[in-house]
Amino acid sequence: MFYTCGPNEAMVVSGLCRSPPVMISGGRVFVLPCVQKIQRISLNTLTLNVKSDKVYTRHGVPISVTGIAQMKIQGQNKQMLAAACQMFMGKSEGEIAQIALETLEGHQRAIIAHLTVEEIYRDRKKFSEEVFKVASSDLVNMGISVVSYTLKDVHDDQDYLHSLGKSRTAQVQKDARIGEAQFKRDAVIREAHAMQEKISAQYVNEIQMAKAQRDYELKKASYDIEVNTKKAESEMAYQLQVAKTKQRIEEEKMQVKVVERSQQIMLQEQEITRREKELEAKVKKPAEAERYRLEKLAEAQRAQLIMEAEAEAESIRIKGDAEAFAVEAKGRAEAEQMAKKAEAFQQYKEGAMVDMLLEQLPLVRNKPLKRRSSNTHMRCGRLTIA
């Protein structure tokens, strides 16, 4: 006959040709009647309520502990299934659960005896892990695996835990009051620090703004000086250029006059030559002609010298007038430039005035030399004419 079982139970077939017995977990098997025997064992998960009442801890305080354990017979492991069959075959689930419960309770009591109430109460996870570890190593030899263990409840009849809770509550309240006071103190300190940092930042910002304003004013003043200087230089250059142009025009006029005088002298020389030839042709006596020629020649030379001297004096006078006009124009331009610089540099006081005076000293020193040179030329011209 064929027998089947679900995944939550196992079948054990023994008898003829079944030595050792065959164990099948969740499947089917063929059994010969009368010569073979089939038995079943449950693989359902068992929930155990493990209670340990009035167990004395390491410090002698009696407490009651309740834990919840989940366990089952391991059907996938053949060795554990064989051990479970040897231990529990023919027993009901209740009987198996009672055996496992007593084993778990014994281990739970042993662990409670090695710990203090505070350790059990404050670190339940550690207690559960120790019970799980010790019970698993013992129950595995029975073919039972502990799926989970959780500490459900811890209490005592002596109000030890209640007193411990009061002490802890008082400590927590004390720590809370201290923490609140410290928080308020830290908040006041942080607020004072924040206000101090705010004021410091405000002062730093104002200093930076003042510094930026100062740099701006200095830059602006420097640029104004540069712009005014360039304007003054440009105006002075324009006036100097005008003066130079006028000087060139006067020099050209003077050259024209010199050329005209040269032409007049040439015409006079030609006239003298013509008269000499006429004298040679008309005067009969050579001596008188020679004397007459010498006199005329002397007169012509004298006239030529006078005209040359006058032309040179006129040229020198015109050149001197042109130079005097140029110097005067340059002086006016420099005076206007100095006035504009004085107006532009008025706000910069001593440094700018010293710079302007140092710049004008060479021009002031050279002006008398030019006038003496012009006077010397004039005196030379007068001496030559004389």
Side-chain angles (χ1 to χ4, degrees):
M1 295 179 66
F2 277 101
Y3 291 91
T4 61
C5 65
N8 60 336
E9 64 179 350
M11 295 183 297
V12 179
V13 179
S14 60
L16 183 64
C17 299
R18 299 296 184 180
S19 181
V22 177
M23 293 173 290
I24 298 170
S25 175
R28 63 181 181 173
V29 66
F30 182 78
V31 178
L32 296 175
C34 299
V35 294
Q36 292 180 342
K37 183 180 179 181
I38 184 171
Q39 293 175 296
R40 298 175 183 270
I41 187 169
S42 176
L43 302 180
N44 290 327
T45 300
L46 303 176
T47 301
L48 305 179
N49 192 10
V50 185
K51 286 187 177 182
S52 300
D53 294 330
K54 296 181 180 180
V55 180
Y56 287 93
T57 62
R58 189 172 63 187
H59 291 164
V61 180
I63 61 172
S64 299
V65 176
T66 302
I68 302 296
Q70 305 286 338
M71 57 184 57
K72 63 174 294 184
I73 295 173
Q74 188 59 259
Q76 301 299 326
N77 191 319
K78 297 299 182 182
Q79 293 180 354
M80 293 182 66
L81 181 60
C85 290
Q86 292 176 2
M87 294 286 294
F88 306 116
M89 184 62 69
K91 292 184 173 11
S92 64
E93 288 185 1
E95 293 173 336
I96 297 172
Q98 185 62 33
I99 295 172
L101 177 62
E102 292 176 357
T103 303
L104 273 172
E105 187 179 354
H107 289 302
Q108 184 171 275
R109 283 177 172 271
I111 293 171
I112 291 171
H114 286 85
L115 297 175
T116 64
V117 178
E118 289 80 0
E119 290 175 345
I120 297 171
Y121 185 75
R122 293 174 181 174
D123 197 352
R124 297 189 176 197
K125 183 178 179 181
K126 180 180 178 182
F127 176 79
S128 300
E129 288 175 352
E130 290 187 5
V131 173
F132 178 85
K133 181 179 178 181
V134 174
S136 295
S137 62
D138 194 9
L139 291 174
V140 73
N141 295 325
M142 300 180 186
I144 298 174
S145 64
V146 180
V147 179
S148 66
Y149 174 84
T150 304
L151 181 61
K152 181 180 179 181
D153 183 37
V154 178
H155 64 277
D156 69 304
D157 298 334
Q158 306 296 325
D159 289 335
Y160 184 86
L161 292 174
H162 183 66
S163 300
L164 185 65
K166 284 185 176 180
S167 175
R168 180 58 183 167
T169 301
Q171 183 65 34
V172 169
Q173 291 177 352
K174 176 183 175 182
D175 294 341
R177 288 192 298 270
I178 294 173
E180 183 179 2
Q182 290 177 349
F183 177 77
K184 289 181 179 178
R185 180 201 63 190
D186 295 341
V188 172
I189 293 173
R190 286 195 298 270
E191 184 177 358
H193 286 168
M195 182 61 66
Q196 183 178 2
E197 291 177 357
K198 177 182 177 182
I199 294 172
S200 300
Q202 184 177 357
Y203 288 158
V204 170
N205 187 27
E206 291 178 357
I207 292 171
Q208 293 294 331
M209 290 177 64
K211 184 178 179 181
Q213 184 67 24
R214 182 201 64 188
D215 295 340
Y216 167 75
E217 294 294 337
L218 291 176
K219 289 288 185 182
K220 185 175 181 300
S222 177
Y223 293 154
D224 290 341
I225 292 174
E226 186 175 357
V227 169
N228 293 328
T229 303
K230 292 296 182 182
K231 285 183 179 179
E233 290 177 354
S234 176
E235 292 177 0
M236 184 181 69
Y238 172 74
Q239 293 177 1
L240 290 175
Q241 188 63 34
V242 171
K244 289 180 181 178
T245 303
K246 289 182 179 181
Q247 183 179 0
R248 285 198 298 270
I249 293 172
E250 294 296 330
E251 289 177 354
E252 292 294 333
K253 289 180 179 180
M254 182 186 66
Q255 293 294 334
V256 171
K257 290 181 179 180
V258 171
V259 171
E260 290 178 353
R261 293 294 179 88
S262 298
Q263 292 293 331
Q264 292 177 1
I265 293 170
M266 188 180 294
L267 290 174
Q268 290 179 359
E269 290 177 351
Q270 291 177 359
E271 181 65 21
I272 293 169
T273 303
R274 185 186 66 78
R275 289 181 180 182
E276 287 178 354
K277 289 180 179 180
E278 184 178 358
L279 287 173
E280 289 178 358
K282 292 181 179 181
V283 178
K284 294 180 179 180
K285 294 180 179 181
E288 293 179 359
E290 182 66 19
R291 180 178 61 79
Y292 184 77
R293 186 183 66 79
L294 291 175
E295 290 177 356
K296 294 298 182 182
L297 182 61
E299 291 179 358
Q301 289 178 352
R302 179 174 175 277
Q304 181 180 358
L305 290 174
I306 291 172
M307 293 180 68
E308 287 179 355
E310 290 177 353
E312 184 177 359
E314 184 68 18
S315 174
I316 291 172
R317 185 185 65 78
I318 294 172
K319 187 174 181 180
D321 292 341
E323 289 181 355
F325 179 79
V327 170
E328 184 180 358
K330 184 176 180 181
R332 286 198 302 269
E334 290 175 353
E336 291 178 2
Q337 179 188 6
M338 290 174 66
K340 290 180 180 180
K341 283 187 176 180
E343 183 181 356
F345 298 166
Q346 187 175 3
Q347 55 181 332
Y348 304 106
K349 296 182 180 179
E350 296 180 357
M353 295 300 296
V354 171
D355 179 66
M356 181 178 70
L357 291 174
L358 291 176
E359 184 179 358
Q360 296 298 324
L361 281 177
L363 298 176
V364 175
R365 185 188 63 186
N366 292 331
K367 284 181 181 180
L369 295 177
K370 291 184 178 180
R371 291 179 180 176
R372 286 197 298 271
S373 178
S374 299
N375 294 332
T376 303
H377 285 298
M378 293 297 293
R379 286 198 297 271
C380 291
R382 293 192 186 96
L383 291 172
T384 303
I385 295 171

